[in-house]
Coordinates of all heavy atoms in Angstrom, one line a residue:
S11 N 0.1 34.6 0.8 CA -1.2 33.9 0.8 C -1.3 33.1 -0.5 O -1.7 31.9 -0.4 CB -2.3 34.9 1.0 OG -3.5 34.3 0.8
Q20 N -1.2 21.9 -4.4 CA -0.3 20.8 -4.8 C -0.4 19.6 -3.9 O -0.3 18.5 -4.3 CB 1.2 21.3 -4.9 CG 2.1 20.4 -5.6 CD 3.4 20.9 -5.9 OE1 4.3 20.7 -5.1 NE2 3.6 21.6 -7.0
K23 N -3.4 17.8 -4.8 CA -3.2 17.0 -6.1 C -2.4 15.7 -5.8 O -2.7 14.7 -6.3 CB -2.4 17.9 -7.0 CG -3.1 18.9 -7.8 CD -2.1 19.6 -8.8 CE -2.8 20.7 -9.5 NZ -1.9 21.4 -10.4
T35 N -4.8 0.9 -10.1 CA -3.9 -0.4 -10.0 C -4.7 -1.6 -9.7 O -4.6 -2.6 -10.3 CB -2.8 -0.2 -9.0 OG1 -1.9 0.9 -9.4 CG2 -1.9 -1.5 -8.9
G40 N -7.8 -6.7 -11.5 CA -9.0 -7.4 -11.8 C -9.2 -7.5 -13.3 O -9.8 -8.6 -13.7
T41 N -8.7 -6.6 -14.1 CA -8.8 -6.7 -15.5 C -7.9 -7.8 -16.0 O -8.3 -8.7 -16.9 CB -8.4 -5.4 -16.2 OG1 -9.3 -4.4 -15.7 CG2 -8.5 -5.5 -17.7
T49 N -0.8 -12.9 -15.3 CA -0.9 -11.7 -14.4 C 0.4 -10.9 -14.6 O 1.3 -11.2 -15.3 CB -1.0 -12.3 -13.0 OG1 0.1 -13.0 -12.7 CG2 -2.2 -13.1 -12.8

Side-chain angles (χ1 to χ4, degrees):
S11 177
Q20 191 173 94
K23 282 184 183 180
T35 296
T41 300
T49 60

